[in-house]
Amino acid sequence: MALIVQKYGGSSVGTIDRIRNVARRLIDTQKAGNRVVAVISAMSGITDKLIGLAHQVMDNPPERELDVLLATGEQQSIALLCMAITDMGFKARSFTGGQAGICTYGSHTRGRIDTIDAAQVIRALDEGCICVCAGFQGVAQDGSIHTLGRGGSDLSAIAMAAAVKADICQIYTDVDGVYTCDPRVVKDARKIPVLSYEEMLEMASSGSKVMQGRSVEFAKKFSVVFEVRNSMNNNPGTIVQEENSSMESLAVRGVSIERNQARVTVSGITAPVAYTSLILNALAEAEINIDMIVANTAHDGMARQSFTMNMNDLGKAQAALKKLLPKLGKGARLETESGLAKLSVVGVGMRSNVGVAATVFGALAEAGIATGMIATSEIRISTTVDAGDIEQAARVVHAAFHLDRA
Ligand code: ASP
Ligand code: MG
């Protein structure tokens, strides 16, 4: 008998019909001889709707109250799902984050999971129940409700799987798994059968938003094997696990794209020596998540530094850096460029294969696509291109690595 944690996202429980579909799937899993724990998101659109309501009341709703409000989204879906299971003649029990023993710390709307005491859930499993837990929420030591950041149900599911020592954690969503590239952009993209945690993390952080990045980090830390699957069929999905040597045979496993990128350049920097730290601090204080960084000293002795970030942060970044300019030298200037996109190739095989970057930039050059800033990690190469070129860039790079072939 296996213990399986199944997570269903908002679109999988978006209507009463879909809730019934999930109920049936959970029952089938139990009937196949497994112990079943479900972790569920709010019905699709509900979390956004609740945020909208809060902002109709006031501009900056207190985050404590926002958490109380947002947690109700998942509370609805777990209750409805348990009713659907009960209606089909099977035993189900719902658990809010607190009831499931999920203890959190940190700040409201960005809570972090501290510990999970899954004793109640285990007891209900022993009684033959399908356990249905609310994703995205937990309770702090002082009893106040925390939510775990957008997309946080993924984290709840992985953490529950670790706590109950599940044999596998299945993450059900509206796609069949992780693809070699977004199939809407590259028609012959294929589903990737197995990925390492690192590859999944790099793909998540470079635009392939199948899962919340933090949840993948958590899975890696606690060695939780998980599988991304489609809740509307029974196709095998993408299994994400510890790296093994067979994963290195391919230099590149996938191509990710991220749109809505912007670049900021500070040029004419003459002072002081620690300017990089000043700039990065100013951006960090403004809570801007920067991505690529390129720094160079020009021949006239003036330094320049460029960063990329999401378009939405451009205004904030400009404001933060404008204030800083006088400290960076008399001639310090700010330039910005929007309308960029980022293309990344990811694969653990890059460590042991040479010529990967040459292939990427060769394919782009041949297609006449200009590249901008470049950044690399051990298993990722990223470059910015004009937003209008990103789809063609993805197609030519995908083809250059023969990712359309098994
Ligand atoms: N309902 C939450 C959200 O929309 C959490 C989740 O779906 O994972 O972000
Ligand atoms: Mg999600």
Side-chain angles (χ1 to χ4, degrees):
M1 193 191 272
L3 203 174
I4 300 182
V5 171
Q6 297 189 339
K7 183 259 172 178
Y8 290 91
S11 57
S12 305
V13 294
T15 64
I16 297 302
D17 272 352
R18 289 191 170 192
I19 287 178
R20 287 217 170 85
N21 169 57
V22 170
R24 234 171 272 122
R25 299 179 69 101
L26 294 171
I27 290 168
D28 287 346
T29 309
Q30 191 191 49
K31 275 195 197 153
N34 303 297
R35 286 149 71 86
V36 185
V37 176
V39 176
I40 306 293
S41 291
M43 294 168 79
S44 54
I46 291 289
T47 306
D48 288 332
K49 197 171 138 198
L50 293 170
I51 293 173
L53 285 175
H55 284 99
Q56 276 179 44
V57 178
M58 65 183 293
D59 282 342
N60 268 318
E63 293 190 323
R64 181 187 184 282
E65 304 313 326
L66 210 47
D67 272 350
V68 172
L69 181 68
L70 295 191
T72 64
E74 273 70 13
Q75 205 166 317
Q76 295 173 12
S77 55
I78 57 169
L80 292 170
L81 180 54
C82 282
M83 290 173 196
I85 297 170
T86 309
D87 186 47
M88 291 173 190
F90 287 78
K91 277 167 84 172
R93 192 169 304 158
S94 66
F95 295 84
T96 62
Q99 290 169 337
I102 300 179
C103 293
T104 51
Y105 67 100
S107 40
H108 281 291
T109 76
R110 292 176 295 274
R112 305 182 81 90
I113 294 180
D114 188 9
T115 55
I116 300 185
D117 175 3
Q120 303 268 28
V121 172
I122 300 282
R123 204 165 306 136
L125 286 173
D126 290 342
E127 289 170 24
C129 292
I130 293 172
C131 294
V132 180
C133 307
F136 183 52
Q137 55 176 268
V139 172
Q141 211 138 54
D142 68 358
S144 64
I145 296 175
H146 271 154
T147 60
L148 309 176
R150 295 308 302 270
S153 296
D154 291 335
L155 179 62
S156 308
I158 299 283
M160 269 321 280
V164 300
K165 301 194 172 64
D167 295 288
I168 186 150
C169 181
Q170 297 174 326
I171 306 287
Y172 283 96
T173 175
D174 50 7
V175 292
D176 271 13
V178 182
Y179 279 75
T180 51
C181 193
D182 184 341
R184 286 167 301 189
V185 173
V186 178
K187 278 203 197 62
D188 51 11
R190 283 182 315 102
K191 184 171 64 198
I192 306 173
V194 189
L195 273 176
S196 70
Y197 295 122
E198 276 91 357
E199 289 169 328
M200 184 74 182
L201 272 172
E202 290 280 13
M203 290 179 77
S205 70
S206 56
S208 303
K209 296 257 147 47
V210 181
M211 255 177 100
Q212 191 208 39
R214 264 173 74 195
S215 61
V216 183
E217 269 162 35
F218 197 100
K220 177 172 145 68
K221 193 161 155 203
F222 294 96
S223 301
V224 177
V225 176
F226 65 89
E227 183 180 11
V228 180
R229 298 174 68 117
N230 194 329
S231 65
M232 302 308 283
N233 61 41
N234 285 312
N235 299 340
T238 299
I239 293 180
V240 184
Q241 60 178 45
E242 216 75 70
E243 184 181 331
N244 61 45
S245 54
S246 73
M247 293 174 179
E248 294 206 349
S249 56
L250 280 177
V252 168
R253 315 293 304 287
V255 178
S256 303
I257 61 181
E258 189 159 19
R259 300 171 204 263
N260 295 323
Q261 300 296 295
R263 186 172 61 101
V264 174
T265 301
V266 188
S267 59
I269 305 169
T270 48
V273 184
Y275 65 86
T276 302
S277 142
L278 283 180
I279 292 174
L280 293 181
N281 266 317
L283 293 169
E285 261 166 41
E287 294 199 4
I288 291 160
N289 215 333
I290 57 170
D291 184 10
M292 301 183 185
I293 306 176
V294 170
N296 49 45
T297 306
H299 43 78
D300 52 8
M302 286 191 273
R304 48 187 284 140
Q305 201 151 67
S306 301
F307 319 89
T308 63
M309 62 195 66
N310 192 284
M311 273 276 289
N312 299 335
D313 284 338
L314 185 56
K316 268 199 295 181
Q318 271 173 303
L321 291 173
K322 228 175 225 150
K323 271 193 277 174
L324 188 67
L325 282 181
K327 285 194 195 151
L328 299 174
K330 275 206 184 76
R333 286 185 311 278
L334 206 60
E335 291 157 45
T336 62
E337 189 185 355
S338 51
L340 296 174
K342 184 174 74 165
L343 175 103
S344 307
V345 297
V346 173
V348 291
M350 234 174 255
R351 294 198 198 105
S352 46
N353 286 280
V354 293
V356 177
T359 304
V360 172
F361 292 96
L364 293 172
E366 203 175 306
I369 296 170
T371 57
M373 284 168 76
I374 298 168
T376 64
S377 81
E378 220 187 358
I379 63 165
R380 175 177 55 85
I381 300 169
S382 301
T383 179
T384 58
V385 299
D386 281 342
D389 288 335
I390 188 68
E391 300 208 345
Q392 197 203 352
R395 285 191 284 269
V396 298
V397 170
H398 193 268
F401 289 100
H402 310 294
L403 291 174
D404 53 329
R405 283 177 230 159

